[in-house]
Amino acid sequence: MTLAANSETSFSPSTAPRAPSRKPRRSAATSTLGISLATLGSLIALWFLAAHFEWASPLFLPSPTEVLTQLGAVWADGYANGTLLDHTLASLGRIAAALGVGIGLGVPLGLLMGLNRWVKGIFSVPIDLYWGLPPLAYLPLLIIWLGIGETSKIVLLSLSTFAPICFAAQAGVRSVPDERINAALSLGASRLQLFTSIILPSALPEIMTGLKIAIGAGLSTLVAAELIAAQSGLGYMIMSAANFLATDVVFVGLIVIAILAFAFTCGMRWLEHRLIPWKGKL
Amino acid sequence: MLRIRDASVTFPGSNGQDVHALDHVSLDIAPDSIVVAVGASGCGKSTLLNAIAGFLPLSEGSITLDGREIVAPGGDRGVVFQKDTLLPWANVLDNVGLGLKYRGMGRGERHEHSRRLLELVGLADFAEKPPYELSGGMRQRVGIARALATDPKVLLMDEPFGALDSLTRETMQQLLASIWAKTRKQILFITHSIEEALTLGTTIVVMSPRPGRIVARFDAGFIREFAESGDIGPIQSDPRFIELREEIRSLIHRPEGARTRTPHRTGTLQ
């Protein structure tokens, strides 16, 4: 069994008992969990069979045991100037920095764009324009401007996480029901109180949705950028391995990325549960 | 005293013609009175309430509260909406105390005050619950408690029981009557139910659409009886109640052409 299967099982008990007030939902979740686990098991079994009977050449499709052995080797001895942990931390560091910039700039600017006609008018056109571009199309330009080092990659990633967060914050402000604002005003709220006690919390569900989209966009841009121009990171490790037809290491890289993506999804779900348990109600 | 003088609200209509949502309406709401505005949809009754609350600017005329002109929403006018506007992220107690928080009242004092109001509306046991775990009627009770918490001079209620089932509605009417008897707030209450208007109003104004204006006003006092007995049955079968009900009904259902020629009519009972 691979790590993916383990994380699936450790994930289930943390979600199942946490929603005691919604019985129908929970029973639906537990009933699909068994099916999902069975599907995962079947896929791995199929992989075993395919590798065992050599339906494809071992050069193209390594067996699960080989991948697992290679995982241990890459973990301990490293591959392409670094251990697996080094590459993972390099990738995570980049995405964390990009998310920090995306949230730090995207949330305030998005909120302002939702509140003020002028701010919206000024910023929406440039953001709309660059957001339509595939990030890899302007990566070469960023490299010319900022060099091949970390700066260009973090700027690229920040650009890809900034836009969805900014749009979401803006949509969040506009989704606040007028009646909720009127109610607060007739209770004597000042402009600042209206913002902190009504608009910001009302916009939070949209902002969280934007954050989820930003993580997805950031992760795919990250790996793509590392494939093209990097000396560390999971994308770089996969690319180096592919150059030497080390398919088992490619698989190791893919599995780690899949686990990271899954962990992000679970983390966001947990965060939503903590921050906005009221989402969609009332 | 809330004083409305020649208040008009005009919107630009979709076909280029202006819509007179409110046309030269004059009305006083004296302390100690419940004025109920009743009429078909589009008669301007909600527009009137929104103008008093300060959500809508007047095109003409003026509204003053104790001599001060109303230009914006403010804490001196509590509003209860048809759709509850409670904050889902705050529990019932904090929802009730929202206006007190805006005034800078400390947490302890705020909670104490809010608990007293929850007792008044009969929800003392639900203080810690999130609002979405409450029924529609209970949420409206929280809304009333929240509007009363800051002790506003006027309470504005925009079809607050319109979305409730008829049994819950009766309970809520009882609750409002008893609150009014205890607090003697001046209240403007909007409804499209003639029975509700007669049960709750010390003054009932009948409004008609296109343009929105007051076509008749009646004085009634059934609420005093209702607040005392808590029993709606004998009141609604009172011959005077039935007579007034039929009169208001005929005013509301009068064809539009006939309505505009009707002079203002004032009836008094009790």
Side-chain angles (χ1 to χ4, degrees), chain A residues 15-274:
Chain A
T15 50
R18 211 173 256 159
S21 60
R22 288 182 298 165
K23 271 196 176 136
R25 221 10 117 72
R26 184 175 54 170
S27 64
T30 44
S31 63
T32 52
L33 182 71
I35 300 170
S36 304
L37 283 177
T39 310
L40 192 69
S42 316
L43 282 173
I44 292 165
L46 193 67
W47 183 12
F48 261 109
L49 288 175
H52 182 76
F53 294 109
E54 294 198 6
W55 292 342
S57 151
L59 194 63
F60 299 134
L61 185 72
S63 77
T65 37
E66 263 175 83
V67 171
L68 209 59
T69 324
Q70 196 55 254
L71 181 75
V74 178
W75 178 262
D77 311 328
Y79 191 89
N81 354 318
T83 64
L84 185 58
L85 191 64
D86 292 337
H87 289 304
T88 310
L89 288 179
S91 292
L92 278 179
R94 284 172 194 142
I95 200 153
L99 280 175
V101 175
I103 294 169
L105 294 178
V107 171
L109 188 67
L111 291 173
L112 278 173
M113 284 170 76
L115 292 170
N116 186 292
R117 192 170 61 93
W118 277 93
V119 183
K120 181 178 156 63
I122 291 167
F123 286 97
S124 60
V125 170
I127 296 175
D128 274 332
L129 276 180
Y130 97 75
W131 175 238
L133 292 170
L136 292 187
Y138 54 81
L139 176 60
L141 185 66
L142 288 177
I143 291 174
I144 293 172
W145 284 352
L146 303 166
I148 193 106
E150 287 303 303
T151 320
S152 56
K153 279 186 282 293
I154 288 175
V155 169
L156 179 83
L157 284 176
S158 299
L159 284 169
S160 68
T161 57
F162 165 81
I165 292 175
C166 182
F167 286 141
Q170 194 186 332
V173 172
R174 273 178 297 159
S175 73
V176 187
D178 284 346
E179 281 157 339
R180 200 177 269 175
I181 290 175
N182 281 343
L185 288 175
S186 67
L187 287 167
S190 68
R191 286 186 75 84
L192 182 68
Q193 284 168 334
L194 186 67
F195 177 76
T196 54
S197 74
I198 306 291
I199 293 174
L200 198 58
S202 298
L204 203 54
E206 295 271 2
I207 293 175
M208 296 298 283
T209 307
L211 192 55
K212 278 194 272 190
I213 297 170
I215 289 175
L219 212 57
S220 52
T221 314
L222 168 81
V223 175
E226 285 175 346
L227 289 175
I228 292 174
Q231 269 75 53
S232 62
L234 292 167
Y236 169 69
M237 190 184 90
I238 290 175
M239 202 59 206
S240 311
N243 286 338
F244 295 99
L245 270 180
T247 323
D248 43 3
V249 179
V250 173
F251 267 81
V252 169
L254 289 177
I255 287 169
V256 173
I257 292 170
I259 291 170
L260 284 185
F262 188 68
F264 272 125
T265 308
C266 295
M268 283 306 296
R269 222 173 276 173
W270 176 82
L271 208 58
E272 279 196 327
H273 202 91
R274 289 302 303 267

Side-chain angles (χ1 to χ4, degrees), chain A residues 183 186 193 197 201-202 278 281, chain B residues 55 74 77 85 89 102 132 139:
Chain A
S186 67
Q193 284 168 334
S197 74
S202 298
W278 44 269
K281 293 167 181 165
Chain B
F55 303 150
R77 285 147 288 146
T85 53
W89 52 84
Y102 290 152
Y132 50 82
R139 288 210 289 260

Side-chain angles (χ1 to χ4, degrees), chain B residues 14-180:
Chain B
S14 52
N15 55 357
Q17 276 188 320
D18 284 351
V19 177
H20 298 280
L22 209 59
D23 187 36
H24 296 96
V25 166
S26 294
L27 181 68
D28 285 344
I29 301 179
D32 207 21
S33 65
I34 299 193
V35 174
V36 182
V38 64
S41 26
C43 71
K45 53 194 195 297
S46 286
T47 309
L48 177 66
L49 183 137
N50 285 333
I52 298 171
F55 303 150
L56 262 182
L58 287 181
S59 317
E60 263 179 81
S62 71
I63 303 174
T64 55
L65 179 58
D66 293 342
R68 283 177 47 197
E69 174 119 28
I70 285 167
V71 286
D76 51 355
R77 285 147 288 146
V79 183
V80 180
F81 298 82
Q82 173 171 23
K83 190 171 158 282
D84 74 83
T85 53
L86 303 177
L87 307 180
W89 52 84
N91 66 19
V92 166
L93 194 65
D94 288 330
N95 264 294
V96 173
L98 190 62
L100 301 171
K101 192 176 167 189
Y102 290 152
R103 293 190 176 182
M105 188 187 275
R107 191 184 158 84
E109 198 185 343
R110 196 168 74 221
H111 281 184
E112 196 186 314
H113 198 87
S114 306
R115 271 184 210 284
R116 266 204 305 278
L117 279 152
L118 281 179
E119 263 164 46
L120 179 73
V121 298
L123 284 180
D125 296 340
F126 294 87
E128 316 298 333
K129 292 254 187 231
Y132 50 82
E133 285 183 14
L134 269 52
S135 69
M138 287 159 114
R139 288 210 289 260
Q140 278 309 44
R141 286 168 191 247
V142 179
I144 294 170
R146 183 178 70 173
L148 286 171
T150 50
D151 196 24
K153 290 177 185 159
V154 193
L155 198 56
L156 306 170
M157 308 183 80
D158 190 1
E159 297 193 35
F161 311 146
L164 305 176
D165 64 84
S166 59
L167 290 176
T168 311
R169 195 171 181 153
E170 249 172 57
T171 323
M172 295 297 288
Q173 289 167 350
Q174 264 169 31
L175 176 79
L176 183 65
S178 78
I179 288 175
W180 178 75

